[in-house]
Amino acid sequence: MYRLSEEETLIQKTVRDFATRELGPLVAEAECSGRFPREQILPRMASLGLLSICVPPELGGVGGSTLMLCIVAEEVARMSGGFAIGAMASVVAPSALVKLSGGKVAAPVLDSLVQGMVMPAMAFTEPGAGSDLMAIRTKVTKTDRGLVLDGSKAFISNGPTADVYLVAAVRAEVIDAPREERTKGLGVYVVPRGLDGFTIGKPLHKLGMRSSETGELHFDSVVLPAGPSLGSTRSDGDKKSGMRAMMDLLDYNRLYIAALSIGIAQAAFEASLEYVKQRRAFDKPIGHHQATGFKVARMAVKLDAARALVQRGCELYDAGVRCAREVAEAKLYATEAAVEITGEAVQIHGAYGYSQEFPVERYFRDAKVGTIWEGTSEIQQQIICRELGLYD
Ligand SMILES: Cc1cc2nc3c(=O)[nH]c(=O)nc-3n(C[C@H](O)[C@H](O)[C@H](O)COP(=O)(O)OP(=O)(O)OC[C@H]3O[C@@H](n4cnc5c(N)ncnc54)[C@H](O)[C@@H]3O)c2cc1C
């Protein structure tokens, strides 16, 4: 259980009601079509204030805490993991842009995002670089025409349909430099859809998260609109390397992903709890067979533990405390717990669990990506080892 403030409790109730009433009826069609129904989801989320959480009120946001973002992730994912990932960039990007730009993000860009009229995507991964972000080859070159972007991105959520992309790239002059130097040349660039030389690849067919679109992006001598790269300078005047800024952003995203996984697992838990009470075998409800009842008990414990880790990560992140280890622990534990819980949910439902008659097969398919994206489980463990001083 989270320990929620009054404001956080209100957000939780608002999103749960919205998800049940408005998102639930959209799930089946979106799973079949493989399309995120952004027109029906994003403007409504904006009207509920869910796209401007953590954006300061003086910039037109509702303010609030990182835990509130996580509550949105969890409650939307409880209905549909695909919707939670389709909405992720819209929920996270406005406040991330404010952070990365040190509060200097252009008002029209921010307004269009928080109103849900423009859908963003976050493009870090490349065909040849996922876990090792320092190995990305997408580059920006300073020319007389302005900054020019070249390269490709892969596996980008909302890639096929977004309006604006936050693209990680390296400055051309350090692209072949040693790692240390390359990290200083990393930055995040705002790239609108439709620029000359910017093409979108085919959507990817996936195991799960089918109501969110994923795809490739190609940049061939794309001249970027004027404006500074994000993540190289902060408003307080402190220079911050692009890599450091990207890592901060990843911590933020990882907390969202951890909470998203909890939402999927919560749905699987609720379905299982209900099922073990009504399904009978050997003259009693299957929940009365200890082997089955214990599975549900362990689901409850894992959910509580995962939420406690997420809450701790959020509190430290908001306090500005270094929390790479705590965030990695939350991401690792919550995403792996979701895989275990959804797997047990299928087992508890027997043959029905394996069929599309019940939603647990979808929860099972959707949960798996949690241990892969935003840093795999192995990378989270590597971070924990590093923070424990194992590599000093
Ligand atoms: C559905 C989906 C949506 C996605 N959406 C986005 C998005 O919106 N934006 C974005 O930028 N990316 C996105 N991604 C990409 C995702 O973040 C990457 O897939 C992830 O970071 C892993 O990178 P990789 O797939 O290249 O794996 P690799 O880096 O090739 O890793 C392969 C395997 O090697 C292991 N490995 C690698 N290095 C180490 C090491 N040092 N120690 C131990 N093991 C290691 C990994 O853990 C993994 O098991 C998405 C991916 C998926 C599947």
Side-chain angles (χ1 to χ4, degrees), residues 46-310:
S47 72
L48 294 170
L50 307 179
L51 304 188
S52 61
I53 296 172
C54 290
V55 174
E58 59 275 20
L59 295 179
V62 298
S65 63
T66 300
L67 186 57
M68 284 185 187
L69 288 178
C70 290
I71 290 168
V72 175
E74 176 177 335
E75 293 301 332
V76 174
R78 181 173 161 269
M79 204 47 64
S80 160
F83 289 175
I85 200 64
M88 174 177 169
S90 297
V91 173
V92 168
S95 50
L97 274 174
V98 171
K99 281 184 223 298
L100 282 171
S101 68
K104 290 188 183 133
V105 57
V109 174
L110 193 58
D111 288 350
S112 59
L113 288 172
V114 301
Q115 286 162 14
M117 307 314 288
V118 159
M119 184 167 76
M122 289 184 276
F124 292 3
T125 306
E126 301 188 351
S131 303
D132 184 6
L133 277 178
M134 272 184 259
I136 63 172
R137 300 294 300 172
T138 297
K139 62 177 183 185
V140 274
T141 314
K142 236 184 208 166
T143 72
D144 296 342
R145 295 178 296 154
L147 292 177
V148 173
L149 186 69
D150 286 282
S152 288
K153 296 288 171 185
F155 302 110
I156 306 306
S157 300
N158 296 345
T161 49
D163 305 300
V164 65
Y165 299 80
L166 305 188
V167 178
V170 187
R171 287 202 321 269
E173 58 271 26
V174 292
I175 193 117
D176 293 316
R179 273 178 104 78
E180 270 298 288
E181 225 171 299
R182 281 171 57 80
T183 59
K184 293 185 198 139
L186 274 173
V188 179
Y189 298 81
V190 179
V191 184
R193 190 188 185 90
L195 294 178
D196 280 348
F198 178 8
T199 51
I200 312 275
K202 279 200 309 273
L204 185 76
H205 297 287
K206 312 188 288 294
L207 172 69
M209 297 294 195
R210 292 187 184 160
S211 54
S212 122
E213 287 134 290
T214 315
E216 285 190 1
L217 315 174
H218 304 287
F219 308 103
D220 182 10
S221 298
V222 176
V223 180
L224 298 180
S229 76
L230 300 163
S232 50
T233 314
R234 279 155 69 94
S235 57
D236 52 13
D238 275 358
K239 289 280 177 198
K240 193 172 191 184
S241 80
M243 188 63 187
R244 194 58 258 142
M246 271 171 62
M247 289 301 138
D248 271 6
L249 180 55
L250 282 178
D251 279 348
Y252 198 51
N253 288 351
R254 280 173 185 156
L255 289 166
Y256 183 99
I257 290 295
L260 180 157
S261 296
I262 293 172
I264 298 171
Q266 174 69 25
F269 165 70
E270 287 173 23
S272 301
L273 187 58
E274 189 53 37
Y275 194 73
V276 299
K277 287 183 194 161
Q278 54 92 1
R279 177 74 174 175
R280 296 177 72 84
F282 300 95
D283 299 327
K284 51 185 174 182
I286 58 171
H288 288 211
H289 297 293
Q290 211 174 51
T292 307
F294 280 12
K295 285 191 205 303
V296 181
R298 292 181 75 84
M299 287 180 178
V301 175
K302 285 176 186 169
L303 280 165
D304 282 350
R307 287 196 182 97
L309 288 173
V310 167

